[in-house]
Amino acid sequence: MYKLDTIISLAKRRGFVFRSSEIYGGLNGCWDYGPLGVELLRNIKEAWWKSMTYRDDIEGLDAAILMHPKTWEASGHTSQFSDPMIDNKSSKGRYRADNLIEEHIERLRRKKKTNLADEIEKSLSEVDELSDYFDIIMKYEIKDPVSGSTDWTEVRNFNLMFKTFVGPVEDTGNAVYLRPETAQGIFVNFKNVLETGRQKVPFGIAQIGKAFRNEINTKNFLFRTREFEQMEMQYFVKPGQEQKWFDYWKEQRWNWFVEYGMKPENLKWKQHDKLAHYANMAVDIEYKFPFGWGEIEGIHSRTDFDLSRHFEYSGKKMEYVDTVNKERYIPYVVETSGGVSRSLMAFLCNAYDEEVVTDDKGKSETRTVLRFHPRLAPVTVAVFPLVNKDGMPETAHKIYKGLQKEYKTAYDKGGAIGRRYRRQDEVGTPFCVTIDGQSLEDETVTIRERDSMAQQRIAIDSISTYISGKLK
Ligand code: GAP
């Protein structure tokens, strides 16, 4: 397992991720995706979009970020979308009370104080009211992780929605929220999509888009941020059939991560002990990050909670009329809800590798390689002239321009060929094409694969077919 700092440093150095507004010192919980990061992000979204919507029973949607404020009353976000917050009076540190306790439990486990860790974990799972968090923190003398102080305030609820105003007047009547999840845009469009898509239950609606949460603590790079993207799909089913579809979507989503190269030993299921107010079944797919296991996607059976509430709050019938069986009902919903940036971070950690390689002359060095699935890799192919003379740059450039029409392609003419391979390995480019003296004589090139480092000669006019074959 490599350190998170090593991966963050590569991500910064090679233009995957930068701190937001870095020249002003950055903005906590916000990140910018650089030239390679944005390609990786788009490839993840594209892979998800194709697997979810290139099928008969799922339609796509792109709803507005700002929604009618009643949406959030109906969904329960106005009253319930909050985290328990606690402040330390001496250090002025502000924490999520549940995270503070969880981190204390983790520390105890590292020190092999298993019984005490189990005891506190049990109390945490039985928390009923805000004051229960406070009681646990005081009873077990949990300290401020920075200052060591135990001088805590009461635990208060902190609503995570960002508020803003529509129009020039900052009046409570004009208040709207930046959506904290994309799901509600799907629920309020249930009827529109059902009718225009001429769908029948069971069917789904998929959406990728930004979500915003004013998290109390942002941490671990892209893991918990205040602005992020979600890839969500709500699958509308007949009540009573939710178990079947819950199992189906669990399998689909796990397989999707594995298909795109996630090592199964880095993934695990986490059962929810406590269910959200809208759910009757919920599991998470967790990834083994360098800092520990963390959720990357949730699969939730949300019953008819959301559609019923929108029916109640809007007065618009959120029913499905089954004309064949002559029945009408409010569908149940099975949701798959993944974070794009969390998935990106998981794919980045999963791909990162260092290995010692020895060249023909017996010289060893460590190569850093991102072993991305070829369809996720930010750059698909790199083209190099072996030397910058004898007509090689001209041929290489022509090949580069041709490949660029189909694939994200890099051109690199700088330095020894070994250095150029290493530069591409470090950003995960799966194929490197080198134009040498022989290329000018017989119209062939060498193509080198990133993981095996094996090279073979192929005809210039078959490069594209070779790559597309590998991408399939
Ligand atoms: N509609 C259900 C829903 O939003 P969630 O578990 O709150 O469920 C779903 O969020 C996914 O969104 C998570 O699995 C995670 O990947 C991502 N996510 C949630 N909060 C996030 C944050 N603060 N930063 C980055 N990703 C986040």
Side-chain angles (χ1 to χ4, degrees), residues 77 81 180-184 187 213 215 222-232 234 272 278 284-285 295-298 300 302 335-343:
H77 282 83
F81 194 59
E181 62 171 13
T182 54
Q184 297 305 323
F187 291 125
R213 297 184 188 177
E215 300 282 0
L222 307 174
F223 186 78
R224 180 164 293 122
T225 55
R226 296 200 166 105
E227 177 178 339
F228 55 97
E229 272 181 294
Q230 288 187 315
M231 315 184 271
E232 292 200 296
Q234 267 63 39
H272 282 219
Y278 51 73
D284 295 334
I285 298 178
E295 172 193 342
I296 50 175
E297 175 150 342
H300 312 130
R302 295 181 72 123
E335 156 185 271
T336 72
S337 175
V340 184
S341 39
R342 270 196 203 173
S343 300

Side-chain angles (χ1 to χ4, degrees), residues 197-377:
R198 303 178 67 222
Q199 285 287 351
K200 292 197 173 6
V201 167
F203 81 102
I205 306 177
Q207 170 165 226
I208 299 176
K210 290 263 179 170
F212 303 82
R213 297 184 188 177
N214 199 0
E215 300 282 0
I216 297 170
N217 296 123
T218 59
K219 62 175 184 179
N220 291 330
F221 192 34
L222 307 174
F223 186 78
R224 180 164 293 122
T225 55
R226 296 200 166 105
E227 177 178 339
F228 55 97
E229 272 181 294
Q230 288 187 315
M231 315 184 271
E232 292 200 296
M233 192 280 303
Q234 267 63 39
Y235 204 72
F236 301 91
V237 307
K238 189 173 174 184
Q241 300 206 336
E242 66 273 22
Q243 180 72 58
K244 171 178 140 193
W245 290 109
F246 184 70
D247 294 340
Y248 170 84
W249 282 111
K250 270 176 68 182
E251 192 184 337
Q252 294 294 311
R253 294 307 304 142
W254 178 279
N255 290 347
W256 182 82
F257 281 110
V258 175
E259 183 190 338
Y260 280 94
M262 218 57 114
K263 295 174 197 124
E265 64 270 25
N266 286 342
L267 295 176
K268 76 166 188 194
W269 290 111
K270 161 107 189 281
Q271 206 73 34
H272 282 219
D273 300 330
K274 273 189 157 184
L275 291 172
H277 58 281
Y278 51 73
N280 67 358
M281 286 181 277
V283 286
D284 295 334
I285 298 178
E286 290 194 336
Y287 179 79
K288 194 182 193 179
F289 289 103
F291 54 83
W293 291 96
E295 172 193 342
I296 50 175
E297 175 150 342
I299 293 104
H300 312 130
S301 172
R302 295 181 72 123
T303 68
D304 60 357
F305 175 83
D306 301 271
L307 289 183
S308 301
R309 294 274 290 196
H310 288 302
F311 182 3
E312 185 188 334
Y313 278 70
S314 69
K316 304 284 182 308
K317 276 195 178 149
M318 291 290 184
E319 280 183 336
Y320 174 69
V321 181
D322 180 342
T323 47
V324 178
N325 297 310
K326 311 237 175 323
E327 54 183 350
R328 51 175 68 216
Y329 53 82
I330 297 178
Y332 270 36
V333 169
V334 174
E335 156 185 271
T336 72
S337 175
V340 184
S341 39
R342 270 196 203 173
S343 300
L344 179 143
M345 189 175 156
F347 279 118
L348 197 58
C349 295
N350 184 74
Y352 188 91
D353 197 12
E354 290 173 11
E355 67 177 3
V356 176
V357 288
T358 312
D359 67 15
D360 308 342
K361 293 169 195 123
K363 196 171 149 246
S364 296
E365 66 166 350
T366 302
R367 85 165 176 144
T368 299
V369 53
L370 289 179
R371 299 186 193 278
F372 288 128
H373 185 287
R375 281 204 295 272
L376 297 187

